[in-house]
Amino acid sequence: MRDLDADRRPDAVTVLLGNLALPGIGYLLLRRHVFAAVAIVGTALVALAVFLSPGSGFVPVLLVVWWSGIAIHTVVAARGRSALRSAPGRRASAWLSRSGALGLMVVVLVMISAVRSDATSILESATDAHRSGDCEAAQSILDRLDNAHTLVAGQTVVDASVQWEACEVLREALGEEEPLGVVGGLDDYIVEPGAVWEEAWLERARLLLDLAVQIPMDREDYAGPGFAYLSQALAAVPSQSERVRAAATEFLAAIDALGVSCWSADMYVFLSDRGDTEPELAEPLAAFGELVPERLLACAREQTEGEDPASAFYEDDLADAIARYEEFLTAYPDHELFATAEQELADVESELTAFLAEKASQEVRARVESGSYCGSGGAYLDAEPYDGDASDSMFVEGGDNVEAALPSSLAADNVDEVSLVMCVDGQGQGAVIDTCEYDVIGSPGTETIDLLGHEYSVEVYELATGELIEEYTAKTGGDCPFSVECTSYNYTVVTCPDTVDATNERNDFGDIFDRW
């Protein structure tokens, strides 16, 4: 009699395929419900771990270990259940059940593959949009990824998340109002792991070079970093070679188009000193450099064209022009305009020398007029030269009452008539020239006090040349002062000074002026 229970037993291969397709199904066929429950719960926990740690390195290991364990345990649990050795009807039933289990496995694998393929397609579409700079579209595409994608295509979802974050940084950067804000944002974007917009390298260079055209004097802030970014763009994205060359060429042309020769010359020197060796940068700069000799010479000429000598910047402009000419002569000794530049330099140097002399002359005039010539000296070029006659041509500085004592026959009416400046210094005590008697208030007696003259150091300068033409010492006399102060006690004089200085009146300075 046939074993009916044996006929109802599931085929071992079917059990294995069922558990591999959906862990627990095979155990249910075996009516091993505990094993089935454990497999289902375990698989759910594995799925949860995969979902919570997408892209983690331990996920593949966990899946291999779990499904291998399920397979091994299923083989052991279903040992001896093969139906291929049974009756023909049993064998046909086994093949049918195996086909069903295999079909289930194929369905599961197809579903997993479809979800994984969809995740990959979403990421590729988003990457294309991101690479074109359309981060709004890229993020919208990436938002289509859901939990199913996370479960079966974890690494793809992780890559998508990284790219989404990079896009967010890029959108914030491009949303900045100020160019420098955009540049700073692009700096942050470029270091993002998910950054794929290659244009970012070139865009930040362009922004700085545009600022350099608007503010060409700030070469270190804009032009230098701009060229540095062009160099970095070449290193990061070699395929942008021609676009980098075009950006450098356009920038240099824009600088020259400003029409300020000094800016063109200075920009060339500044960028040349950077020492960029990449052909995409060095060749446009070399081509621009062919214009520089003429621009440098024009720059020197521009410093003095139309300048008013009365301008506060006239002296600096002449000095700048000299520096530019010298730069040209040093850098281009074989240039066809060398001799012309050399002559123009000599003319500007003569002009500056004359200007400085006139400036110093006017400063001397101002010192004479303000009474501060002595001690500084100097020549007033417009003054009348001294011809041996001091009449109506003298100014005096210093000395007690000396200025007021200058005879009218010698005094100049104004600065423009001055030929001689007399510097009188000192009021030292001289010799005893007389004695003075004073009545003592409150006492019948008198006090006799020695009267001292004065001694002065005199220097006389010719104003037209600033040269010292006479130097001597003069002594003056004078009268006894009307009164002197003595110390007293209870209206009784105790002590009086031994000497007293003479009072200097206009007629007491003959020793100073008589020789003129």
Side-chain angles (χ1 to χ4, degrees):
M1 183 176 179
R2 294 174 61 189
D3 185 353
L4 296 178
D5 291 336
D7 288 342
R8 295 190 185 96
R9 292 171 183 169
D11 174 59
V13 175
T14 301
V15 171
L16 178 61
L17 292 175
N19 267 351
L20 290 179
L22 291 174
I25 295 295
Y27 290 132
L28 290 175
L29 292 175
L30 290 174
R31 298 180 181 179
R32 306 294 291 272
H33 299 96
V34 173
F35 288 161
V38 171
I40 292 171
V41 172
T43 301
L45 292 175
V46 169
L48 180 62
V50 171
F51 181 80
L52 295 177
S53 305
S56 174
F58 82 89
V59 168
V61 177
L62 178 62
L63 293 175
V64 169
V65 169
W66 178 250
W67 256 262
S68 297
I70 289 289
I72 293 171
H73 185 266
T74 301
V75 170
V76 172
R79 183 182 302 162
R81 300 299 179 94
S82 176
L84 294 180
R85 298 176 184 175
S86 304
R90 173 64 177 154
R91 288 197 296 272
S93 176
W95 278 114
L96 184 60
S97 63
R98 289 179 182 183
S99 298
L102 183 61
L104 177 62
M105 177 176 286
V106 170
V107 170
V108 171
L109 291 177
V110 168
M111 291 177 61
I112 291 174
S113 296
V115 174
R116 290 177 64 86
S117 176
D118 185 50
T120 301
S121 176
I122 289 173
L123 179 58
E124 288 176 351
S125 298
T127 300
D128 290 341
H130 184 180
R131 189 171 283 117
S132 69
D134 189 357
C135 265
E136 183 176 359
Q139 288 182 314
S140 177
I141 294 171
L142 291 174
D143 287 340
R144 287 158 44 192
L145 293 170
D146 55 23
N147 293 340
H149 296 104
T150 303
L151 184 60
V152 300
Q155 186 57 54
T156 302
V157 172
V158 169
D159 293 343
S161 176
V162 170
Q163 198 168 136
W164 197 97
E165 292 295 334
C167 255
E168 187 67 14
V169 174
L170 179 57
R171 291 182 65 182
E172 290 179 0
L174 297 180
E176 292 284 345
E177 295 183 1
E178 296 296 328
L180 290 180
V182 177
V183 171
L186 291 177
D187 287 342
D188 295 337
Y189 168 76
I190 283 171
V191 299
E192 284 288 320
V196 297
W197 187 48
E198 296 177 346
E199 188 73 13
W201 296 87
L202 196 54
E203 181 63 18
R204 62 179 186 164
R206 285 200 196 100
L207 287 168
L208 285 180
L209 293 179
D210 286 346
L211 285 174
V213 173
Q214 297 173 32
I215 317 173
M217 301 300 291
D218 292 340
R219 294 179 290 275
E220 294 183 1
D221 293 334
Y222 304 124
F227 259 61
Y229 281 161
L230 288 179
S231 179
Q232 292 175 21
L234 276 174
V237 191
S239 61
Q240 291 186 333
S241 171
E242 290 308 311
R243 298 178 68 194
V244 168
R245 180 189 296 272
T249 302
E250 290 170 5
F251 165 69
L252 294 171
I255 286 293
D256 199 49
L258 294 174
V260 182
S261 301
C262 293
W263 290 348
S264 296
D266 290 343
M267 189 64 73
Y268 172 75
V269 172
F270 174 76
L271 294 178
S272 295
D273 289 343
R274 281 181 43 79
D276 293 307
T277 57
E278 301 93 332
E280 294 81 359
L281 300 179
E283 290 173 5
L285 189 58
F288 182 68
E290 295 177 3
L291 305 173
V292 170
E294 293 182 8
R295 298 295 185 272
L296 186 55
L297 189 55
C299 171
R301 292 165 175 166
E302 287 171 3
Q303 301 303 307
T304 57
E305 288 178 358
E307 286 292 337
D308 183 359
S311 167
F313 304 104
Y314 186 69
E315 180 181 344
D316 290 338
D317 288 339
L318 291 178
D320 288 343
I322 290 172
R324 298 291 186 174
Y325 278 116
E326 291 175 343
E327 184 180 351
F328 174 87
L329 295 173
T330 301
Y332 307 103
D334 299 325
H335 197 274
E336 60 183 355
L337 295 175
F338 183 87
T340 301
E342 204 170 31
Q343 181 58 53
E344 290 177 5
L345 171 61
D347 293 342
V348 175
E349 287 177 333
S350 297
E351 186 176 352
L352 179 60
T353 300
F355 173 79
L356 293 176
E358 179 60 26
K359 178 182 176 182
S361 175
Q362 293 302 319
E363 291 173 351
V364 169
R365 183 187 189 284
R367 289 201 300 273
V368 173
E369 199 166 32
S370 65
S372 58
Y373 177 87
C374 298
S376 300
Y380 174 40
L381 302 180
D382 294 333
E384 291 292 331
Y386 177 56
D387 59 2
D389 182 5
S391 301
D392 303 320
S393 64
M394 186 175 289
F395 261 22
V396 174
E397 285 184 26
D400 181 30
N401 293 328
V402 177
E403 294 179 29
L406 177 65
S408 59
S409 60
L410 297 177
D413 291 334
N414 54 62
V415 175
D416 294 323
E417 295 180 0
V418 174
S419 295
L420 300 175
V421 177
M422 177 180 288
C423 299
V424 181
D425 183 34
Q427 194 177 343
Q429 290 183 337
V432 176
I433 58 175
D434 201 351
T435 57
C436 302
E437 283 194 3
Y438 294 94
D439 294 327
V440 179
I441 298 175
S443 173
T446 59
E447 285 285 339
T448 300
I449 300 175
D450 290 332
L451 179 66
L452 300 181
H454 296 78
E455 191 171 86
Y456 295 93
S457 236
V458 181
E459 294 178 346
V460 181
Y461 294 89
E462 182 182 14
L463 187 56
T465 62
E467 293 181 358
L468 177 66
I469 63 171
E470 192 79 40
E471 183 178 15
Y472 54 92
T473 299
K475 296 180 180 179
T476 64
D479 299 322
C480 293
F482 178 77
S483 63
V484 297
E485 291 187 3
C486 300
T487 60
S488 62
Y489 181 73
N490 289 335
Y491 299 103
T492 301
V493 172
V494 177
T495 55
C496 288
D498 295 328
T499 60
V500 65
D501 294 335
T503 58
N504 291 319
E505 304 297 338
R506 289 180 61 89
N507 57 356
D508 295 326
F509 294 93
D511 198 26
I512 294 179
F513 299 116
D514 286 349
R515 66 183 66 196
W516 301 99

